[in-house]
Amino acid sequence: MSPKKTTGQPPRPREPFIPPRGYPGPGGGQVANIDPPTMWRSTTVQACGLWPFAAGSGAPMSGVPLGQHLFTGATVCGDPLSWFTRSHYISNPSLFMLGMPGLGKSTLINRMLIGLAATGVVPLVLGDLKPDYADTVRALGGQVISIGRGVGGINVLDPGAMGAAALRIGGEGGRVLMAETHGRVLNMVAALVTIVRDRAVDDHEQSVLSAALHHLRERTPPGRQPLLPDLVKILAEGPDRVRAVTLDRGDETRYRDAVDPLHRSLLGVLDGPLGDTFAAETSTRIDLDSPAVCVDISRIGEADTQLTAAAMLATWSDGLGTVAASHALADAGLRPRRWFFTVLDELWRPLRAASGIVDRIDALTRLNRSLGLADAKITHTLKDAEALGTDADRVKARGFVERAGMVVCAGLPRQEMEDLGQVVGLSQREIELVSSWSSPPGWAAHGAREEPPGRGRFLIKVGGRPGIPIQVAITDTERRLHDTNKRWAENEPPVDPATEYIPDLSKLAEVDGSW
């Protein structure tokens, strides 16, 4: 064997091999997982010099910046209006949110509200129960209307903005809008009767109410709006137009038999817990030119379930009527086009007030796509629908979830997620993930405030697409404006929304129609 050749240079020492996860064994420092690199978003103008080291992501970027993807860290943007108008991800501009209390449902909606307001969309919070959104609306320079006993009321017979728009438009367009106004007023009066008697209004009573409202509108002098006491007088007088729909055939007894149950129910509205709020003139009308509107009904006590449900329905009717009036004026070329984003929080409270209320809510909100209106409905669980009195109401309440373009889930128990999966379509992994967010917080040491693991975490579902899990981190300004635990604060100075600064989100860079 020939001797091994040498080059005259010393051999190069072998470099030690370092495993990607560290050395195994005691003291080796091996880690189970490697944190992903930090991801940043920027426009093509800002990041062009980094090419080819920039990469795209599957997270949607159209709409209000919501938070980071829970697994990739990528920024996730979205809201029902942007995903309907710009991205065409959804066919209905609506959002339905479910989750246990205290996990940040209204905080996420509050962020959408601020972001959409920066793009010129008008937020409408119709029935703020806590209130969760009043300070934000004030900081945006919007209008806050208080409703409650001794605070303010709503005249449900007042056509409001729709009536004023019909008179301004005139002609055939004004007549059509006034006819729609009549239907909205009729629907609201029937809802009040439904709440008082705890059952739906009969079909012939709807006809009586419609005829009485037409007669009342014709005999009311210009410049004055009819009131509920005026409607009761019409039923007591029994004009020919009202008698004709009762088929009394000139018999006073037949007429009284037909209208007396409705008459008694309306008297119950006036003399019962609803009278002070709905029997007088509207205290403050919604301003069509306001950048944001919040109707604050937090002065109504928790035990006043009937008044709460009636106030929520009345504010929804008035707010959606304002939206219809704005679009009618825009169609006539009398004002610029505006889009709206309505927030219907604590949906379970009016649903449980009386049988048949779900029909009224469905009638008020079903046509949002044709109204240039996006909405967000918020409740706790699907069991809120299961608690309704009839099978028909339960099916209709589930329809709110089925028709929603976006379904957002905060932490929910596993059984709730299983039930929701039958409506929305959830994978087993998604059910396990959201169920883990419903766990209570740990036992914090030394009295420190420990947050629940699911706070600020949400799963966004759109049709059959895989869900998008996000983590929302709010800013200090959002935290001050949207503190849902104000009553538990320890001698902290109150926030003055008039002096609170909200960044001008409209200055953010826009790429491909996105934020």
Side-chain angles (χ1 to χ4, degrees), residues 15 28 31 96 105 196 211 214 246 275 333 410 421 453 499:
E15 296 182 359
V31 296
F96 198 97
K105 299 187 301 297
V196 167
H214 276 300
T246 64
T499 61

Side-chain angles (χ1 to χ4, degrees), residues 121-339:
V121 177
V122 182
L124 298 176
V125 184
L126 305 177
D128 196 355
L129 284 159
K130 294 182 181 178
D132 283 339
Y133 308 92
D135 288 343
T136 299
V137 169
R138 290 191 185 97
L140 291 170
Q143 179 187 30
V144 178
I145 302 171
S146 296
I147 299 296
R149 293 191 182 95
V151 179
I154 298 177
N155 176 17
V156 294
L157 303 190
D158 187 349
M162 290 183 71
L167 294 177
R168 184 178 176 185
I169 294 171
E172 180 64 18
R175 187 193 63 78
V176 172
L177 187 60
M178 188 59 73
E180 185 179 345
T181 302
H182 172 81
R184 192 173 293 275
V185 171
L186 173 62
N187 186 55
M188 191 58 229
V189 176
L192 291 183
V193 174
T194 299
I195 291 173
V196 167
R197 62 169 55 167
D198 196 20
R199 67 176 180 82
V201 177
D202 296 330
D203 55 351
H204 74 276
E205 291 178 325
Q206 292 257 29
S207 301
V208 170
L209 277 176
S210 180
L213 288 171
H214 276 300
H215 181 79
L216 182 58
R217 184 70 56 191
E218 293 171 357
R219 64 179 286 181
T220 302
R224 179 183 176 274
Q225 301 301 333
L227 302 173
L228 276 179
D230 301 327
L231 181 61
V232 172
K233 290 180 182 178
I234 294 296
L235 295 181
E237 295 171 359
D240 293 339
R241 184 169 188 172
V242 178
R243 288 179 179 272
V245 299
T246 64
L247 301 179
D248 68 324
R249 298 182 176 87
D251 188 340
E252 182 69 16
T253 302
R254 288 172 61 91
Y255 174 73
R256 293 303 166 189
D257 290 342
V259 302
D260 277 356
L262 180 61
H263 196 167
R264 283 193 296 267
S265 296
L266 287 174
L267 288 175
V269 173
L270 294 176
D271 298 332
L274 310 183
D276 293 342
T277 308
F278 301 105
E281 292 284 352
T282 299
S283 55
T284 305
R285 286 189 174 184
I286 295 177
D287 183 5
L288 274 175
D289 297 319
S290 179
V293 177
C294 174
V295 182
D296 180 4
I297 60 173
S298 60
R299 305 289 184 89
I300 302 175
E302 290 281 342
D304 283 341
T305 56
Q306 286 188 341
L307 182 56
T308 299
M312 293 184 76
L313 287 174
T315 56
W316 293 353
S317 179
D318 193 24
L320 297 181
T322 302
V323 172
S326 177
H327 286 302
L329 291 171
D331 292 340
L334 299 177
R335 65 178 295 114
R337 178 79 62 192
R338 304 180 80 186
W339 290 346

Side-chain angles (χ1 to χ4, degrees), residues 225-462:
Q225 301 301 333
L227 302 173
L228 276 179
D230 301 327
L231 181 61
V232 172
K233 290 180 182 178
I234 294 296
L235 295 181
E237 295 171 359
D240 293 339
R241 184 169 188 172
V242 178
R243 288 179 179 272
V245 299
T246 64
L247 301 179
D248 68 324
R249 298 182 176 87
D251 188 340
E252 182 69 16
T253 302
R254 288 172 61 91
Y255 174 73
R256 293 303 166 189
D257 290 342
V259 302
D260 277 356
L262 180 61
H263 196 167
R264 283 193 296 267
S265 296
L266 287 174
L267 288 175
V269 173
L270 294 176
D271 298 332
L274 310 183
D276 293 342
T277 308
F278 301 105
E281 292 284 352
T282 299
S283 55
T284 305
R285 286 189 174 184
I286 295 177
D287 183 5
L288 274 175
D289 297 319
S290 179
V293 177
C294 174
V295 182
D296 180 4
I297 60 173
S298 60
R299 305 289 184 89
I300 302 175
E302 290 281 342
D304 283 341
T305 56
Q306 286 188 341
L307 182 56
T308 299
M312 293 184 76
L313 287 174
T315 56
W316 293 353
S317 179
D318 193 24
L320 297 181
T322 302
V323 172
S326 177
H327 286 302
L329 291 171
D331 292 340
L334 299 177
R335 65 178 295 114
R337 178 79 62 192
R338 304 180 80 186
W339 290 346
F340 298 84
F341 177 59
T342 61
V343 179
L344 310 179
D345 207 343
E346 301 290 345
L347 189 65
W348 62 273
R349 294 186 67 172
L351 287 178
R352 293 184 181 181
S355 177
I357 288 298
V358 66
D359 288 325
R360 305 300 165 188
I361 298 175
D362 184 61
L364 287 173
T365 60
R366 181 177 284 269
L367 298 178
N368 57 339
R369 183 173 62 179
S370 61
L371 287 177
L373 172 75
D375 73 80
K377 301 183 184 72
I378 310 173
T379 189
H380 293 151
T381 70
L382 280 183
K383 283 188 169 57
D384 295 333
E386 297 299 328
L388 299 179
T390 66
D391 292 337
D393 284 351
R394 286 190 285 270
V395 171
K396 292 170 186 175
R398 279 179 172 263
F400 294 151
V401 185
E402 295 170 347
R403 291 197 306 272
M406 302 170 60
V407 176
V408 181
C409 304
L412 285 169
R414 185 179 184 85
Q415 185 58 52
E416 289 288 340
M417 291 301 298
E418 297 281 358
D419 295 341
L420 182 61
Q422 298 178 8
V423 180
V424 178
L426 298 168
S427 68
Q428 196 62 34
R429 174 60 182 142
E430 291 170 342
I431 292 175
E432 293 174 356
L433 178 65
V434 179
S435 300
S436 68
W437 298 340
S438 64
S439 303
W443 300 105
H446 311 296
R449 180 177 295 177
E450 185 77 11
E451 290 193 350
R455 178 169 293 174
R457 296 188 174 189
F458 304 92
L459 181 71
I460 302 175
K461 287 288 293 185
V462 174

